[in-house]
Amino acid sequence: MEVQSSNRGFYHSAMYYGTMLGIIWSIMYVLMFIGLKSPVLLLTCIALFIGSPFFAASFAKKYRRNECGNCIRYMQAFTFLYWMYICACLLSALVMFLYFRFIDNGMFFATIQEVLTASMNFPGIDEAYRQQAELSLQTIQNSTTSEFVWYILGNNIFNASILPFIIAIFVRRNNKG
């Protein structure tokens, strides 16, 4: 019975901290969606993106200190981080879907198309860049917001299968004595 409640607490904590990480990601994505023309919003988005693994490590260390007596093995840290990342992926994908469905009204893709079109018309632009921008423009025009959300979700799940291996190295702490 104790193992079952311990597992329940483990997954509950992973979901809780994953929700916190998902909120950070959701803010990051919304800043990216609304801030394509604002350097301050884009810099904040980039800062959240770069800081995301540090937030995850901080949450895992907090779990280690509060729930594990400041001792967590590598595999336990990896598993905790993996489930935390999966919860964050799901929440951020839901927020992105809701944003595109009810708030955006095509503004994000229109802004990207506008930026790409303007960059293709700069004097002195390399022909290879122009062709790449045209290809990107066609790809954006042919994709839907649902496809974009699925793409980001897949990318986040891919990252969730790699980053916990690395972060767990810094989070683990064995008994010394």
Side-chain angles (χ1 to χ4, degrees):
M1 184 68 175
E2 184 177 319
V3 171
Q4 185 178 10
S5 66
S6 174
N7 281 341
R8 186 175 300 148
F10 176 83
Y11 289 110
H12 179 269
S13 294
M15 287 172 48
Y16 173 78
Y17 290 116
T19 300
M20 299 314 234
L21 186 61
I23 290 170
I24 292 169
W25 286 3
S26 298
I27 292 168
M28 176 189 70
Y29 285 126
V30 169
L31 289 175
M32 180 180 71
F33 299 148
I34 65 173
L36 283 178
K37 292 185 178 180
S38 171
V40 173
L41 293 179
L42 281 179
L43 285 175
T44 305
C45 173
I46 291 169
L48 288 173
F49 176 76
I50 292 170
S52 177
F54 298 101
F55 286 118
S58 172
F59 293 150
K61 285 180 180 180
K62 192 175 210 180
Y63 170 74
R64 180 190 72 202
R65 281 191 303 271
N66 295 341
E67 303 294 328
C68 299
N70 208 24
C71 176
I72 190 170
R73 294 181 321 272
Y74 175 81
M75 281 308 295
Q76 187 181 7
F78 165 77
T79 306
F80 179 81
L81 285 159
Y82 177 76
W83 286 112
M84 184 175 68
Y85 265 89
I86 292 299
C87 292
C89 291
L90 295 174
L91 178 61
S92 65
L94 175 65
V95 169
M96 278 189 290
F97 175 77
L98 293 174
Y99 175 81
F100 283 128
R101 177 83 174 160
F102 298 109
I103 298 171
D104 185 64
N105 294 324
M107 186 175 62
F108 175 68
F109 286 116
T111 304
I112 289 179
Q113 290 173 354
E114 181 183 318
V115 168
L116 281 174
T117 303
S119 69
M120 288 184 339
N121 295 329
F122 282 145
I125 291 295
D126 184 26
E127 188 59 34
Y129 174 79
R130 189 181 314 271
Q131 289 175 352
Q132 183 65 37
E134 286 176 7
L135 181 63
S136 297
L137 192 58
Q138 289 174 357
T139 302
I140 290 168
Q141 289 171 344
N142 294 330
S143 66
T144 65
T145 55
S146 295
E147 291 171 343
F148 183 71
V149 170
W150 280 108
Y151 173 77
I152 296 293
L153 177 62
N155 189 39
N156 285 344
I157 289 175
F158 176 74
N159 290 334
S161 63
I162 294 174
L163 287 175
F165 283 112
I166 299 165
I167 298 171
I169 293 169
F170 300 101
V171 170
R172 70 176 169 78
R173 180 172 284 172
N174 297 327
N175 280 338
K176 301 284 185 185

